[in-house]
């Protein structure tokens, strides 16, 4: 039997084309949702873009159906779409939720539809608190045909712990580790006896002694003669622009950053694990020293943590400085600058380095550059796709972020652009992924990241 999906405002502001993601079922948008979307059209960000895109689709559907959107009209996906007015909507909720809020009205529309004997009704939202309220109402009102659910279309994993880490710890007999050191290479088939994990090209293999000794080895999965092989890493790590990897995951990340055959690197991990610092060191090495890339472009989205500080005075560089100050902090360390004035003097002489807010690089073609995008967890999957599809020939791009630190109102640890990119691209041979776990910033930073 066909289902009826009632969409919350945040679904359409997150994915304007979500109308077409429910197959041959019925899609219902409450009238209050249209009002909320209309109020977002003037925003100059991803939310505003999605509001405008939905408005264009809304107009097209309205013109096709001669202005009668309160009646079901066919969609290309095979289902139907209509606007639900439902002015009697709040009657069934007054005993439980007296406040006549927009969220409660959307829930009420779905509940009323579920009691009208039209089959199963699914309320779809990215707001977990709204889902919680709807779950409570389902039980208290005994609604067997009412099902609150999160939007699953861009959730490639159900929990952050399932996110691909880019490395695998495998217990093997010591002779397997000795063989890796002796020959420098292992067949991937050898590991099938000791692990059932899915392994991709550019993944790392951390071999540990099955019998508990400290004997270990590190290998990297590469394609050789159209077959996957495990190639051993050198025992010694090298300083890159004065930075030496401090743990095994930093060493793996540096391998990916310095490999010219890897076009995209996705680095995830909590604050203080060294993601941005290592990426900047590798980028400076390959642009300034090796001159392999023409420019080093560093950027991040402008998303505030906590309350926004409003409009800032000054020219573009002065306005952007507070947002991208963390990048300058890392550059100050790499250049051993004593203060901001000295760092600005150094940077003014580097024509190959450009630090910008993400707003100013969208829509550009970026060839032969080393590009670092920080705080990618605050980008939507569509925004990450937009950035990656602008990458020109000979460019390497590094996506950095912590999926647990989301500042965007319509994203979470599972549906953000960084998580989406990792899961979608993990099997590609030119893509390297690594998850860092150890905080190296300071002892206090490590304790805070772990316990707070």
């Amino acid at each position: 039997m066909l289902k009826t999906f009632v969409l919350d405002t945040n679904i359409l502001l997150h994915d304007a084309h979500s109308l077409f993601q429910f197959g041959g079922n019925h899609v219902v948008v409450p009238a209050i949702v249209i009002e909320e979307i209309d109020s977002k059209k003037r925003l100059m960000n991803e939310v505003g873009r999605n509001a405008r895109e939905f408005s264009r689709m809304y107009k097209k559907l309205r013109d096709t159906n001669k202005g009668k959107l309160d009646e079901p009209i066919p969609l290309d996906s095979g289902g139907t779409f209509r606007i639900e007015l439902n002015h009697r909507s709040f009657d069934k909720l007054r005993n439980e939720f007296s406040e006549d809020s927009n969220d409660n009205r959307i829930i009420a529309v779905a509940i009323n539809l579920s009691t009208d004997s039209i089959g199963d009704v699914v309320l779809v939202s990215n707001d977990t608190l709204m889902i919680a309220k709807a779950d409570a109402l389902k039980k208290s009102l005994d609604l067997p045909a009412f099902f609150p659910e999160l939007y699953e279309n861009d959730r490639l994993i159900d929990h952050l712990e399932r996110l691909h880490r880019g490395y695998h710890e495998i217990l093997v007999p010591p002779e397997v580790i000795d063989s890796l050191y002796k020959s420098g290479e292992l067949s991937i088939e050898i590991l099938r006896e000791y692990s059932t994990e899915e392994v991709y090209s550019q993944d790392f293999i951390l071999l540990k002694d099955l019998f508990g000794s400290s004997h270990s080895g590190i290998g990297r999965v590469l394609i050789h003669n159209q077959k996957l092989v495990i190639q051993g890493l050198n025992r010694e790590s090298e300083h890159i622009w004065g930075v030496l990897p401090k743990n095994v995951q930093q060493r793996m990340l540096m391998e990916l950053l310095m490999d010219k055959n890897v076009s995209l690197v996705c680095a995830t991990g909590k604050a203080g694990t060294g993601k941005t610092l290592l990426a900047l060191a590798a980028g400076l090495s390959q642009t300034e020293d090796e001159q392999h890339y023409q420019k080093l472009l560093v950027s991040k989205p402008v998303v505030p943590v906590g309350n926004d500080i409003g409009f800032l005075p000054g020219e573009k560089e002065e306005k952007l400085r507070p947002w991208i100050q963390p990048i300058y902090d890392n550059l100050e360390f790499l250049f051993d600058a004593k203060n901001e004035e000295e760092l600005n003097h150094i940077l003014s002489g580097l024509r190959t380095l450009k630090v910008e807010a993400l707003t100013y690089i969208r829509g550009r073609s970026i060839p032969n550059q080393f590009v670092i995008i920080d705080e990618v967890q605050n980008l939507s999957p569509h925004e990450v796709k937009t950035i990656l599809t602008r990458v020109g020939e000979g460019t390497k791009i590094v996506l950095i972020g912590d999926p647990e630190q989301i500042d965007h109102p319509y994203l979470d640890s599972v549906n953000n652009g960084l998580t989406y990119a990792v899961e979608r691209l993990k099997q590609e041979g030119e893509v390297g992924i690594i998850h860092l776990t150890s905080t190296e910033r300071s002892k206090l930073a490590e304790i805070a990241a772990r316990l707070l």
Side-chain angles (χ1 to χ4, degrees):
M1 188 173 182
L2 295 180
K3 295 180 179 180
T4 299
F5 291 89
V6 179
L7 305 189
D8 189 8
T9 310
N10 53 53
I11 301 301
L12 296 167
L13 292 177
H14 174 67
D15 180 3
H17 296 272
S18 56
L19 285 179
F20 310 102
Q21 303 298 330
F22 299 95
N25 296 291
H26 306 298
V27 177
V28 173
V29 174
I32 192 65
V33 169
I34 302 298
E35 290 186 25
E36 289 189 322
I37 291 176
D38 185 66
S39 69
K40 304 292 185 182
K41 287 192 303 183
R42 291 170 181 79
L43 296 178
M44 301 307 295
N45 54 21
E46 181 71 4
V47 171
R49 189 201 72 83
N50 282 327
R52 292 187 293 274
E53 178 65 17
F54 176 78
S55 296
R56 286 189 287 268
M57 290 191 299
Y58 176 88
K59 182 180 183 301
K60 184 177 179 181
L61 290 170
R62 188 175 184 275
D63 292 344
T64 301
N65 205 44
K66 299 179 181 179
K68 296 181 179 180
L69 283 179
D70 58 329
E71 299 175 2
I73 62 172
L75 297 174
D76 293 339
S77 59
T80 65
F81 163 72
R82 70 182 174 92
I83 302 295
E84 176 59 54
L85 301 176
N86 210 345
H87 295 294
R88 59 189 172 83
S89 62
F90 208 65
D91 295 342
K92 294 184 175 65
L93 269 69
R94 294 194 188 279
N95 292 333
E96 282 74 15
F97 299 110
S98 58
E99 183 185 359
D100 192 1
S101 67
N102 290 349
D103 280 0
N104 289 343
R105 283 199 168 277
I106 295 170
I107 294 173
V109 167
I111 288 178
N112 282 328
L113 289 174
S114 72
T115 59
D116 286 344
S117 301
I118 63 169
D120 290 347
V121 174
V122 182
L123 172 63
V124 186
S125 175
N126 273 333
D127 186 343
T128 53
L129 294 181
M130 186 172 183
I131 294 294
K133 289 201 299 184
D135 275 330
L137 287 167
K138 174 182 173 65
K139 294 177 181 178
S140 66
L141 299 177
D142 189 21
L143 302 169
F146 176 55
F147 302 95
E149 291 182 2
L150 290 170
Y151 184 53
E152 301 290 346
N153 184 61
D154 53 5
R155 293 175 181 270
L156 303 180
I157 53 176
D158 56 6
H159 196 278
L160 188 57
E161 292 181 357
R162 296 181 179 272
L163 183 66
H164 185 62
R165 299 182 303 170
Y167 65 92
H168 311 265
E169 295 184 6
I170 301 176
L171 299 175
V172 296
E175 54 265 25
V176 175
I177 302 174
D178 293 336
S179 177
L180 177 63
Y181 282 124
K182 184 177 180 180
S183 64
E185 190 174 286
L186 284 178
S187 169
I188 197 71
E189 299 303 324
I190 294 178
L191 298 185
R192 302 299 185 196
E193 304 176 34
Y194 309 102
S195 175
T196 58
E197 291 185 38
E198 190 73 31
V199 176
Y200 305 99
S201 176
Q202 304 301 344
D203 279 1
F204 291 88
I205 307 296
L206 181 56
L207 303 178
K208 292 189 174 182
D209 187 357
L210 182 64
F211 303 108
S213 76
S214 60
H215 193 32
S216 63
I218 306 175
R220 182 177 167 196
V221 180
L222 297 171
I223 300 176
H224 183 65
N225 293 330
Q226 297 184 336
K227 292 183 178 180
L228 291 179
V229 298
I230 302 171
Q231 190 174 87
L233 302 186
N234 296 327
R235 287 179 177 270
E236 297 296 328
S237 298
E238 298 181 357
H239 282 83
I240 305 295
W241 262 67
V243 176
L244 182 69
K246 292 186 176 182
N247 56 57
V248 65
Q249 282 120 7
Q250 285 193 357
R251 185 180 175 190
M252 294 172 183
L253 175 57
M254 189 61 84
E255 285 282 332
L256 296 174
L257 292 170
M258 297 300 294
D259 189 339
K260 311 296 191 301
N261 295 317
V262 178
S263 300
L264 171 64
V265 177
C266 298
T268 63
K270 57 190 176 182
T273 50
K275 307 180 295 295
T276 306
L277 181 64
L278 290 173
L280 285 170
L284 287 167
S285 174
Q286 293 172 81
T287 53
E288 287 295 308
D289 298 342
E290 301 177 21
Q291 297 183 352
H292 181 79
Y293 301 99
Q294 294 177 358
K295 287 183 180 180
L296 170 59
L297 177 61
V298 190
S299 186
K300 63 176 291 189
V302 179
V303 179
V305 179
N307 293 328
D308 200 342
I309 59 176
F311 293 101
L312 297 173
E315 300 298 325
K316 183 184 79 171
E317 289 73 17
E318 296 175 283
K319 292 176 184 289
L320 294 179
R321 190 62 180 251
W323 302 108
I324 54 182
Q325 186 59 44
I327 295 171
Y328 282 98
D329 291 341
N330 283 287
L331 290 172
E332 192 171 305
F333 174 82
L334 289 171
F335 288 108
D336 195 25
K338 300 298 185 292
N339 50 52
E340 184 176 312
E341 183 179 351
E342 183 178 343
L343 176 63
N344 290 336
H345 178 71
I346 294 171
L347 295 180
S348 65
L350 289 178
R351 296 183 179 180
T352 59
L353 176 61
K354 189 71 173 177
V355 181
E356 292 186 352
L358 196 60
T359 307
Y360 297 100
I361 74 167
R362 290 188 61 184
R364 292 166 49 184
S365 180
I366 310 173
N368 302 311
Q369 297 185 32
F370 193 104
V371 181
I372 301 172
I373 310 293
D374 206 354
E375 305 290 347
V376 180
Q377 78 277 2
N378 285 319
L379 298 178
S380 70
H382 175 80
E383 288 175 305
V384 169
K385 178 182 178 180
T386 300
I387 294 168
L388 294 182
T389 53
R390 297 298 186 271
V391 171
E393 194 67 33
T395 286
K396 184 188 190 86
I397 188 163
V398 184
L399 303 181
I400 299 172
D402 178 6
E404 295 188 83
Q405 290 193 347
I406 304 291
D407 304 310
H408 193 290
Y410 298 109
L411 299 176
D412 59 35
S413 62
V414 175
N415 72 352
N416 66 85
L418 180 58
T419 299
Y420 193 80
V422 168
E423 287 301 309
R424 278 291 191 195
L425 303 175
K426 62 186 178 184
Q427 75 280 0
E428 299 299 323
E430 295 184 356
V431 177
I433 295 164
I434 198 69
H435 177 69
L436 291 87
T437 58
S438 299
T439 299
E440 301 291 348
R441 183 172 290 163
S442 68
K443 184 64 177 177
L444 177 58
E446 192 278 329
I447 293 173
R450 178 167 43 89
L451 298 179
L452 296 182

